Amino acid sequence: MTDHDKETVLLICGEDIDAAAIMTTLYDADIRVVGPIQTARMALAMTAQTGPTLALMAGQPTGERKVLELAATLLSTWGVRSMLLDPLEHEAHGQQDWRAPDHQVARIRHALTREPLQA
């Protein structure tokens, strides 16, 4: 993967401990990370400035907007699709328009869990 093709993840995470571990793991997998970001408002502002390829929702943002509303807004405003880190939430909302494509989700999950990629 060339430098300009790198995945850039916008990390929305309310827990600093979780965020540090996620950031380190993604960095080690050669994935850029913007964040961690705790509020939906800041997530939208950072998206405008950094052009992420994916929003990784590792926890509820603080403030009035919650994960599902933020994911919908990121897609409608900036064209950025989202991934929920919790697999049960991800499956429950898998048919949402804002959901990241399967190949992108698989790449991030592989980086976070070191599970083999499936073709």
Side-chain angles (χ1 to χ4, degrees), residues 4-111:
H4 65 277
D5 291 334
K6 279 186 183 179
E7 194 82 60
T8 301
V9 172
L10 182 74
L11 178 60
I12 292 94
C13 184
E15 297 293 324
D16 289 336
I17 294 171
D18 291 342
I22 292 167
M23 289 177 68
T24 299
T25 302
L26 292 176
Y27 176 78
D28 289 346
D30 201 29
I31 297 171
R32 293 182 189 126
V33 180
V34 176
I37 298 167
Q38 294 183 341
T39 67
R41 180 176 288 172
M42 184 57 74
L44 293 169
M46 292 301 290
T47 299
Q49 298 297 313
T50 62
T53 57
L54 173 82
L56 177 59
M57 309 289 188
Q60 286 287 348
T62 59
E64 294 179 22
R65 264 192 201 112
K66 297 302 177 197
V67 166
L68 300 180
E69 184 181 355
L70 176 57
T73 303
L74 286 168
L75 178 62
S76 66
T77 305
W78 302 111
V80 175
R81 295 192 178 271
S82 298
M83 172 183 168
L84 302 179
L85 192 57
D86 182 338
L88 296 177
E89 286 184 34
H90 192 66
E91 288 173 16
H93 303 291
Q95 300 305 314
Q96 299 294 324
D97 289 340
W98 50 257
R99 186 181 181 278
D102 289 339
H103 71 277
Q104 199 172 27
V105 169
R107 188 168 44 239
I108 298 301
R109 287 218 182 275
H110 170 71

